[in-house]
Amino acid sequence: MVVNVSVILLLFVIAALLMHNKNLKVSHAIICGLLGFCLAGSSLAPTIQSTVASTADLVSTIRP
């Protein structure tokens, strides 16, 4: 679990820096994808899934 958390944090920092520079390339997209796969396999996955589902429900109720 310790190695998994450190990999997730490393990928998150790299993704945040790439988004901050506004210079997203194919290699950067691959790193962001790896971050997603690592997060999906972590213990944070249920929390992230419920947060995204709640946000989607909230957005779907907004009428333009």
Side-chain angles (χ1 to χ4, degrees), residues 13-36:
V13 168
I14 291 170
L17 288 173
L18 294 174
M19 285 189 274
H20 178 70
N21 290 338
K22 297 179 184 171
N23 191 13
L24 193 63
K25 298 179 182 177
V26 174
S27 60
H28 304 151
I30 290 171
I31 290 173
C32 290
L34 288 173
L35 173 62

